Amino acid sequence: MPTARGRIVGKESQASARGGAQALRVLGEDAMRFISGLIVGLLLVAAAGAFMVYGGHVSVAATTPPDMLDKLAPIALDKAVAHQAPKMTIPVDPAAARRGMEHYDENCLACHGAPGVKPMEFAQGMNPAPPGLEGDTQNFSDGELFWIVKNGIRASGMPAFGVNHQDPEIQDIVAFVRHLPKLTDEEKRALAAALPHEHHHEEGEKGESAHEEGHHH
């Protein structure tokens, strides 16, 4: 027959069990409310995204002012290139730089220009704008530059040279990009001469116009 003490302990155990069960129910209800709210929030975000995309409300014009995408894209680019680029060093080789200059003339100069050589007029309407390669681009490693030239950058206007260039040719292009900050006057003249005649004509007209304005004043 249970003693008085045993009955008291039993009642305390039952009360403790009921309290624990009640606490679990409260926690479960809170968790369900949180999960339900999270699901509703995600559905609202998805619905808003679908409205923007399928409703044609996303601005895709090249004249669009800088927005959040323009702030996030460079970060994503730097991280992706650093993660995917090969570890490699391209030796300083004047012969390789000369070979790379020929490819640069044909494929890169119109958009990127060079020190003392402006890019073609159409490049001014590109968004994102093609960077001058003698500046911050030099902060990329050799492997990163190689990866960018070979694979291109989607939705930026930067093509993938690996489609029609062999790896040694791409290495030559990188060698010349490394040489850009140290271009000689002769190399600058050669690059300027490589641009289409119409470009020189436009630059000449601008110079003549400025000269005439100065003469009238």
Side-chain angles (χ1 to χ4, degrees), residues 182-193:
K182 303 183 289 289
L183 284 182
T184 65
D185 290 340
E186 182 180 355
E187 289 169 332
K188 291 177 182 179
R189 287 192 294 270
L191 287 172

Side-chain angles (χ1 to χ4, degrees), residues 23-152:
L24 288 174
R25 282 197 300 272
V26 171
L27 287 174
E29 291 171 359
D30 289 343
M32 287 302 298
R33 280 195 292 269
F34 172 78
I35 293 173
S36 299
L38 181 62
I39 292 173
V40 170
L42 291 174
L43 289 174
L44 288 174
V45 170
F51 172 77
M52 292 294 293
V53 173
Y54 290 101
H57 300 291
V58 177
S59 179
V60 296
T63 53
T64 302
D67 54 19
M68 185 61 67
L69 180 61
D70 295 282
K71 296 179 180 179
L72 294 177
I75 299 174
L77 169 64
D78 290 346
K79 298 298 184 183
V81 171
H83 177 69
Q84 300 175 40
K87 305 297 182 184
M88 64 188 304
T89 299
I90 297 177
V92 177
D93 180 1
R98 284 194 296 271
R99 293 192 300 269
M101 183 174 174
E102 296 178 5
H103 293 290
Y104 192 91
D105 283 350
E106 297 173 0
N107 303 286
C108 313
L109 186 62
C111 288
H112 294 284
V117 183
K118 292 183 179 180
M120 293 288 289
E121 189 173 283
F122 73 84
Q124 299 174 15
M126 297 179 68
N127 185 2
L133 303 184
E134 71 276 12
D136 291 343
T137 301
Q138 297 291 326
N139 294 328
F140 285 110
S141 69
D142 288 352
E144 290 169 344
L145 286 175
F146 176 87
W147 189 95
I148 291 171
V149 175
K150 181 172 182 175
N151 297 283

Side-chain angles (χ1 to χ4, degrees), residues 147-167:
W147 189 95
I148 291 171
V149 175
K150 181 172 182 175
N151 297 283
I153 304 297
R154 64 188 302 179
S156 72
M158 174 64 191
F161 282 71
V163 172
N164 46 28
H165 288 71
Q166 300 299 315
D167 284 1

